[in-house]
Amino acid sequence: MNKDLNKKNLDFFPSPSGPNKELFTALNKTSNLLCEWFSVSEKLDPLANNIKFKFSSPTEEGKNFENLLKEINDLVYSSFNPSNPGSLAHLDPPPLTVSIIGDLVAGSLNNNLLAKELSPSISILEKEMCEWFALKLGFGNKAGGIAASGGTLNNLNALVSARNISGFQSDPDAAFVVSRDAHVSFKKCARIMGLKRENIIIIDTDDCGRMDPLKLENQIKKHLKIGKRIFAVVATLGTTMRGAIDPISEIKKICNMNNIWLHIDGSIGAIFSMIKKQIKGIGDIHNANSITINPQKVLGITKTSSLLIVKNIKSLQETFQTGLPYLDSNDEFINRGELGIQGSRPAEIIKLWLGIKFLGESGIEKILNESIARRKLLEQNLNSQKFDIYSGPLHIISFIPKTLNKIESESWTHNAKKVLLQNKFMLSRPFYQNKFFLRSVLGNPNTQDSHILSLSKLLNEI
Amino acid sequence: MNKDLNKKNLDFFPSPSGPNKELFTALNKTSNLLCEWFSVSEKLDPLANNIKFKFSSPTEEGKNFENLLKEINDLVYSSFNPSNPGSLAHLDPPPLTVSIIGDLVAGSLNNNLLAKELSPSISILEKEMCEWFALKLGFGNKAGGIAASGGTLNNLNALVSARNISGFQSDPDAAFVVSRDAHVSFKKCARIMGLKRENIIIIDTDDCGRMDPLKLENQIKKHLKIGKRIFAVVATLGTTMRGAIDPISEIKKICNMNNIWLHIDGSIGAIFSMIKKQIKGIGDIHNANSITINPQKVLGITKTSSLLIVKNIKSLQETFQTGLPYLDSNDEFINRGELGIQGSRPAEIIKLWLGIKFLGESGIEKILNESIARRKLLEQNLNSQKFDIYSGPLHIISFIPKTLNKIESESWTHNAKKVLLQNKFMLSRPFYQNKFFLRSVLGNPNTQDSHILSLSKLLNEI
């Protein structure tokens, strides 16, 4: 391809003096392609069967946009299809419409949430959005927070802060506590923080998948006695396997007695605190020192959208602030790159802002309530004679035929997953308590009652 | 607003059975707004003078899209304006056109780079893009990498891996080395990793802002003697203050002698290795164990776009892999959430892929060469009798009148920045070696020679 062709239909950068007609046309063509993909997503499979897309190296002269559009088309139709009503495997929902628009705006602005000098209005937006969430969660007036690119980062932000505020920064005896059903990424956090493997104190769960408070109390006593410096207890609000909620009030009492920071990993479940008729176990979350909340899950704010809300915003500042000697800083505003692990960050908060404003509190509640109702409908229609069913108060359910041992569970789930995919249902196949399960996450707003009835019928017959 | 109004013009989620006309219209209206903003960006100020945007809380019923569009408009026109030709303060360039399109695609797909099951084609794309960069950087065939949401995360990914591979995971004597001019975020990395403050070994720089290899050798000897376990030396390829490049070949020899991991923080400068006529000091980067490269800087891939390339991809796997018990994994493909700190991640790699394919190698080279040429032009036209000038081989330059002491430098830069902003030039005001400076980063492709001549004239006269 020659240079003329390359430059024919689109400039490298938007022109600062207009008219940018070619960019507008390119955005329209891409929007059209994406809207067409959305419009057939029910007909396509949840997982692309036919991977058309193939990576090819960049050439010397570059490709023109029309040719790239064909490659975009192949990439899109070879992707996971979260809008298909049968996409029920994981916690990744279809994107909220205004959230897609937010991505377009954030990319175009290319502002940097590192510092107010680089994102004058959006840094304030992020601060105020976090404060609004803090208010909704019942935190006090010293509370605030930070957005991060994913829940793992926010859990890490919280643990690093807890260790720092407790004064055990480089102490080889520093330790934290999670339940057996907590998210696997806490192992990763420990490695990053330089903690010994044995300093992740793991507490058994009860029959409902919740941390056992009596065992927690005993383990804390035991570990303090041998010289461990416990800087945090992590309670899970919504476990990966079945959406179980740890007993937060009881855990908080134990933390208070021992002067330990309580972090709630609410990546899955904290958003459900927005429902007016409170879900069992979600009360008292305002008593935590910090909480991770991920609107990128059920609400469909596009990835990534995760907030860490802390009781006292100063705990983040004291932990992460290094000074930014290359920036003009205004004393009464904390640069937001100094409140967490990330420095330069995109204006992701725009997506959350647009999403929340568009849905309104009633829209949020509708989405959350409907996802719970879908889980209940599936649970009611699964044959309880046949299946061991693991669920909780949220939108997640896992199950396995009662009679199977480990090896049988592996082959049953493997075969069942295949049969389901042939019928356009994608479920996941987690390994838990020495068996394979099937799991369904019912956050997909396109899943109708009729789909759930077909799914349960299929499952009962496999 | 009543519920009917709210739902009148846009659904919460794209419809899986079409026609999604309202979403297409909403995307068009937003594209139009953004293209209009781009088209007047030369007339606007680099920093919005008039902050119209004001955050208001979400309401019970939610806002309709037309009303939100007005708020988006206020937000956009209150933002930092990187497309203005005078935006020369920081490392944040205008967005590449196809990169904006990439954000739109990534948001719409909402695929999750955590695992191949959730992003079948894009996980492969990320792997192959990293391998293509590894090849361009001269790394061998065991090399590979990971994308992360920002350079700080990738430097942290590298340091955690270096510590892990060295076997000093929880050792209170673990230490790493940086130069005095390295990025401030390494302090933050040390806190996150639980390293003592004194275990960041800081090496003085020479008159050109480069790490002094003799001092490096002496400091390593001294610290090993007192029992420190040095797991990494970080060389900076492009310092924040003046784009200096540490002497990589000499540092590598010292690392080899002591069996220490060499990480290159190439967040600013590594992309310049793509220029065919090699820049002084960039040779030999392929000898490093790991390197951070940020196409979100000069190339204008929208934030965030940062890669970590490692000599041996297994070092990331061994460091971060925890297993993902809730996912179906394919043995011959490493799930990409297991190669770094982040778990769930957006399909950011699409932006880099589109950018590189669209520019081609010649387009990349053009952008990089022109940014260096702009720095040279400014440097030539600054009065060298008046200014102490700090620069290097890249696109960054800092300066201060020769005669000023610390206090005078503070007031001079403060006033100069104000005068420049009145003339639509935004420079930054870093603090370095006990003085305030003015700094110009010349990565903005909209900055013409005429702008640079006006800028230098202004500066020479202030």
Side-chain angles (χ1 to χ4, degrees):
Chain A
M1 191 175 314
N2 66 42
K3 252 185 177 157
D4 280 353
L5 239 179
N6 177 35
K7 291 280 293 167
K8 200 168 73 179
N9 63 351
L10 192 56
D11 283 330
F12 288 170
F13 293 89
S15 161
S17 56
N20 290 306
K21 278 186 189 167
E22 296 78 10
L23 175 57
F24 183 66
T25 305
L27 285 167
N28 275 2
K29 286 185 180 174
T30 311
S31 300
N32 191 46
L33 187 163
L34 293 165
C35 286
E36 278 181 7
W37 179 63
F38 284 129
S39 295
V40 295
S41 55
E42 198 168 83
K43 288 184 196 145
L44 301 172
D45 290 302
L47 261 183
N49 259 329
N50 179 11
I51 305 273
K52 276 187 194 171
F53 176 74
K54 217 177 152 349
F55 171 76
S56 61
S57 297
T59 52
E60 174 62 23
E61 291 303 330
K63 282 214 166 186
N64 79 17
F65 179 70
E66 292 299 328
N67 285 323
L68 277 183
L69 202 60
K70 285 178 203 150
E71 294 198 40
I72 293 174
N73 189 74
D74 286 347
L75 182 78
V76 165
Y77 283 87
S78 304
S79 297
F80 166 60
N81 173 10
S83 294
N84 183 286
S87 285
L88 300 167
H90 295 289
L91 292 146
D92 302 87
L96 207 63
T97 47
V98 290
S99 180
I100 300 169
I101 286 162
D103 269 314
L104 175 59
V105 175
S108 300
L109 293 180
N110 206 23
N111 277 212
N112 187 346
L113 270 282
L114 173 67
K116 203 178 162 191
E117 192 178 35
L118 285 162
S119 52
S121 50
I122 310 166
S123 286
I124 293 172
L125 175 64
E126 187 180 90
K127 176 179 179 286
E128 300 202 356
M129 280 297 296
C130 289
E131 286 169 0
W132 183 79
F133 269 96
L135 201 72
K136 292 308 276 182
L137 294 169
F139 279 53
N141 60 9
K142 288 181 185 167
I146 183 88
S149 300
T152 304
L153 286 181
N154 268 333
N155 286 332
L156 184 56
N157 276 330
L159 287 175
V160 172
S161 300
R163 177 170 68 176
N164 188 61
I165 299 295
S166 308
F168 306 139
Q169 178 63 6
S170 312
D171 192 323
D173 290 315
F176 72 90
V177 182
V178 292
S179 91
R180 189 167 300 285
D181 284 10
H183 196 261
V184 64
S185 59
F186 285 101
K187 273 193 218 165
K188 194 152 81 170
C189 289
R191 285 181 203 163
I192 296 159
M193 294 171 74
L195 300 172
K196 294 177 193 157
R197 189 181 297 193
E198 66 265 28
N199 287 4
I200 314 180
I201 303 168
I202 293 170
I203 311 296
D204 282 337
T205 48
D206 64 16
D207 288 347
C208 300
R210 297 175 305 194
M211 185 188 280
D212 184 322
L214 206 64
K215 288 183 179 158
L216 171 66
E217 202 169 356
N218 290 336
Q219 286 289 321
I220 287 182
K221 258 188 213 155
K222 184 184 133 192
H223 281 87
L224 289 177
K225 201 175 276 177
I226 60 168
K228 294 296 172 193
R229 322 281 195 186
I230 302 172
F231 61 83
V233 172
V234 178
T236 304
L237 204 176
T239 59
T240 315
M241 183 62 184
R242 54 175 139 175
I245 301 175
D246 285 345
I248 293 165
S249 301
E250 288 156 277
I251 294 173
K252 179 60 187 171
K253 276 181 210 147
I254 300 167
C255 287
N256 279 351
M257 280 191 299
N258 295 284
N259 196 24
I260 298 172
W261 178 296
L262 171 60
H263 173 63
I264 297 177
D265 175 14
S267 298
I268 292 176
I271 194 74
F272 286 91
S273 65
M274 312 277 281
I275 295 177
K276 284 189 195 81
K277 191 182 161 217
Q278 219 166 58
I279 287 170
K280 205 182 158 194
I282 295 200
D284 289 328
I285 58 172
H286 60 279
N287 284 323
N289 297 86
S290 57
I291 181 160
T292 298
I293 175 167
N294 273 17
Q296 72 194 29
K297 304 220 195 282
V298 206
L299 281 193
I301 310 297
T302 57
K303 268 175 278 300
T304 49
S305 180
S306 172
L307 301 180
L308 176 67
I309 306 296
V310 291
K311 179 139 285 178
N312 187 342
I313 190 66
K314 284 207 172 139
S315 53
L316 293 183
Q317 191 182 1
E318 284 167 20
T319 302
F320 294 108
Q321 194 158 43
T322 57
L324 297 169
Y326 47 90
L327 273 158
D328 259 339
S329 296
N330 183 319
D331 286 343
E332 74 264 29
F333 191 90
I334 312 164
N335 279 320
R336 301 193 64 79
E338 303 219 67
L339 293 177
I341 288 166
Q342 291 175 282
S344 290
R345 279 183 303 130
E348 295 192 304
I349 198 71
I350 292 175
K351 304 183 283 191
L352 180 55
W353 166 64
L354 284 177
I356 300 295
K357 297 273 286 188
F358 180 63
L359 293 172
E361 300 199 33
S362 66
I364 295 171
E365 182 145 355
K366 184 172 185 291
I367 290 173
L368 298 172
N369 277 327
E370 286 178 1
S371 73
I372 294 174
R374 281 189 293 269
R375 187 265 307 157
K376 282 185 180 164
L377 185 66
L378 178 58
E379 193 163 355
Q380 281 156 11
N381 284 281
L382 279 181
N383 181 349
S384 61
Q385 306 276 301
K386 176 177 177 180
F387 292 109
D388 272 334
I389 297 174
Y390 290 61
S391 72
L394 306 179
H395 62 312
I396 303 176
I397 179 168
S398 295
F399 46 88
I400 186 70
K402 285 179 194 238
T403 53
L404 307 186
N405 64 25
K406 180 186 170 184
I407 294 168
E408 290 162 345
S409 77
E410 183 164 9
S411 76
W412 188 87
T413 52
H414 190 80
N415 175 57
K417 192 168 174 179
K418 218 173 99 184
V419 172
L420 291 175
L421 273 173
Q422 284 161 354
N423 288 276
K424 296 200 179 184
F425 287 108
M426 182 181 169
L427 268 61
S428 48
R429 210 169 67 94
F431 187 69
Y432 181 71
Q433 295 183 346
N434 213 32
K435 273 189 190 177
F436 286 88
F437 282 74
L438 281 189
R439 184 183 67 156
S440 178
V441 180
L442 291 136
N444 187 340
N446 296 328
T447 312
Q448 307 288 322
D449 288 2
S450 59
H451 296 114
I452 294 174
L453 296 177
S454 306
L455 173 62
S456 53
K457 190 161 179 288
L458 265 166
L459 285 165
N460 291 335
E461 287 167 4
I462 289 172
Chain B
M1 192 175 312
N2 66 43
K3 252 183 175 158
D4 279 354
L5 238 180
N6 177 37
K7 291 279 292 169
K8 199 167 76 180
N9 64 350
L10 192 56
D11 282 330
F12 287 170
F13 294 89
S15 161
S17 57
N20 289 306
K21 278 186 188 164
E22 294 78 10
L23 174 57
F24 183 65
T25 305
L27 285 165
N28 274 3
K29 285 185 180 173
T30 311
S31 300
N32 192 46
L33 187 164
L34 293 165
C35 286
E36 280 181 5
W37 178 64
F38 284 129
S39 295
V40 295
S41 56
E42 199 168 82
K43 288 184 196 146
L44 301 172
D45 291 302
L47 261 183
N49 259 328
N50 180 10
I51 306 273
K52 275 188 197 171
F53 176 73
K54 216 175 152 352
F55 170 76
S56 61
S57 298
T59 52
E60 173 62 23
E61 291 302 332
K63 281 214 169 190
N64 80 16
F65 178 68
E66 291 300 328
N67 285 323
L68 276 182
L69 202 60
K70 285 178 203 150
E71 294 198 40
I72 292 174
N73 189 73
D74 287 347
L75 182 78
V76 166
Y77 283 88
S78 305
S79 296
F80 166 61
N81 172 11
S83 294
N84 183 286
S87 285
L88 300 168
H90 295 291
L91 292 146
D92 301 87
L96 207 63
T97 49
V98 289
S99 181
I100 300 169
I101 287 161
D103 270 313
L104 175 58
V105 175
S108 300
L109 292 179
N110 205 23
N111 276 212
N112 187 346
L113 269 282
L114 172 68
K116 202 177 163 193
E117 191 177 35
L118 286 162
S119 53
S121 51
I122 311 166
S123 286
I124 293 172
L125 175 63
E126 188 180 90
K127 176 179 180 286
E128 300 202 357
M129 279 298 296
C130 288
E131 286 169 0
W132 183 80
F133 269 96
L135 201 74
K136 293 308 277 181
L137 294 169
F139 278 53
N141 61 9
K142 288 182 185 167
I146 183 88
S149 300
T152 304
L153 285 181
N154 268 334
N155 286 332
L156 183 57
N157 276 332
L159 288 175
V160 172
S161 299
R163 178 170 68 177
N164 189 60
I165 299 296
S166 308
F168 306 139
Q169 178 63 5
S170 313
D171 192 322
D173 290 315
F176 71 91
V177 182
V178 292
S179 91
R180 188 167 300 287
D181 284 11
H183 195 261
V184 64
S185 59
F186 286 102
K187 273 193 216 166
K188 193 152 82 169
C189 289
R191 286 182 202 164
I192 296 159
M193 294 171 72
L195 299 172
K196 294 177 194 157
R197 188 182 296 194
E198 66 265 28
N199 286 6
I200 313 179
I201 303 168
I202 293 170
I203 310 295
D204 282 337
T205 47
D206 65 15
D207 286 348
C208 299
R210 298 175 306 195
M211 185 189 279
D212 184 323
L214 206 66
K215 287 183 179 160
L216 170 67
E217 201 169 356
N218 289 337
Q219 286 289 321
I220 287 181
K221 257 187 213 154
K222 184 184 133 191
H223 281 87
L224 289 177
K225 199 174 279 176
I226 58 168
K228 294 297 173 193
R229 322 280 195 188
I230 302 172
F231 60 84
V233 172
V234 178
T236 303
L237 203 177
T239 58
T240 314
M241 183 62 185
R242 55 175 138 176
I245 300 175
D246 285 344
I248 293 165
S249 300
E250 288 157 276
I251 294 172
K252 179 62 188 171
K253 276 180 210 146
I254 299 167
C255 287
N256 280 351
M257 281 190 298
N258 295 284
N259 196 24
I260 298 172
W261 179 295
L262 172 60
H263 173 63
I264 297 178
D265 175 14
S267 299
I268 291 175
I271 194 75
F272 286 91
S273 65
M274 312 277 281
I275 295 176
K276 286 191 193 77
K277 191 180 160 219
Q278 218 166 60
I279 288 170
K280 203 181 157 194
I282 295 200
D284 289 330
I285 59 171
H286 60 279
N287 284 322
N289 297 85
S290 57
I291 181 161
T292 298
I293 176 166
N294 274 16
Q296 72 194 31
K297 303 221 194 286
V298 206
L299 282 193
I301 311 296
T302 57
K303 267 176 279 303
T304 50
S305 180
S306 172
L307 301 180
L308 176 69
I309 305 297
V310 292
K311 179 140 283 176
N312 188 340
I313 190 67
K314 285 208 172 137
S315 53
L316 292 183
Q317 192 182 0
E318 283 167 20
T319 301
F320 294 108
Q321 196 158 42
T322 57
L324 297 170
Y326 47 91
L327 273 157
D328 257 339
S329 297
N330 182 319
D331 286 344
E332 75 263 28
F333 191 90
I334 312 163
N335 280 320
R336 301 193 62 80
E338 303 220 67
L339 293 176
I341 288 166
Q342 291 176 280
S344 289
R345 280 183 303 130
E348 295 191 305
I349 197 71
I350 292 176
K351 303 183 284 191
L352 180 55
W353 166 64
L354 284 177
I356 300 294
K357 297 274 286 190
F358 180 63
L359 293 172
E361 299 200 34
S362 66
I364 295 170
E365 182 144 356
K366 185 172 185 291
I367 290 173
L368 297 171
N369 278 327
E370 286 178 1
S371 73
I372 294 174
R374 281 190 293 270
R375 187 265 306 157
K376 283 185 179 163
L377 185 65
L378 179 58
E379 192 162 356
Q380 282 157 10
N381 283 280
L382 278 181
N383 181 349
S384 62
Q385 306 277 300
K386 175 177 176 180
F387 291 108
D388 272 336
I389 297 175
Y390 290 62
S391 73
L394 306 180
H395 62 313
I396 303 176
I397 181 169
S398 295
F399 46 88
I400 186 69
K402 285 180 193 237
T403 53
L404 307 186
N405 64 26
K406 179 186 169 183
I407 292 167
E408 290 162 345
S409 77
E410 183 164 10
S411 75
W412 188 88
T413 52
H414 190 81
N415 175 58
K417 192 167 174 181
K418 218 173 99 184
V419 172
L420 291 175
L421 272 174
Q422 283 161 356
N423 287 276
K424 295 198 180 186
F425 287 110
M426 182 181 169
L427 269 63
S428 47
R429 212 169 67 94
F431 187 69
Y432 181 70
Q433 293 181 349
N434 212 32
K435 272 188 192 179
F436 286 88
F437 282 73
L438 281 189
R439 183 182 70 156
S440 179
V441 180
L442 291 135
N444 186 342
N446 296 328
T447 312
Q448 308 288 323
D449 289 1
S450 58
H451 296 115
I452 293 174
L453 296 177
S454 306
L455 173 63
S456 53
K457 190 161 178 287
L458 265 167
L459 285 165
N460 291 335
E461 287 167 3
I462 288 172

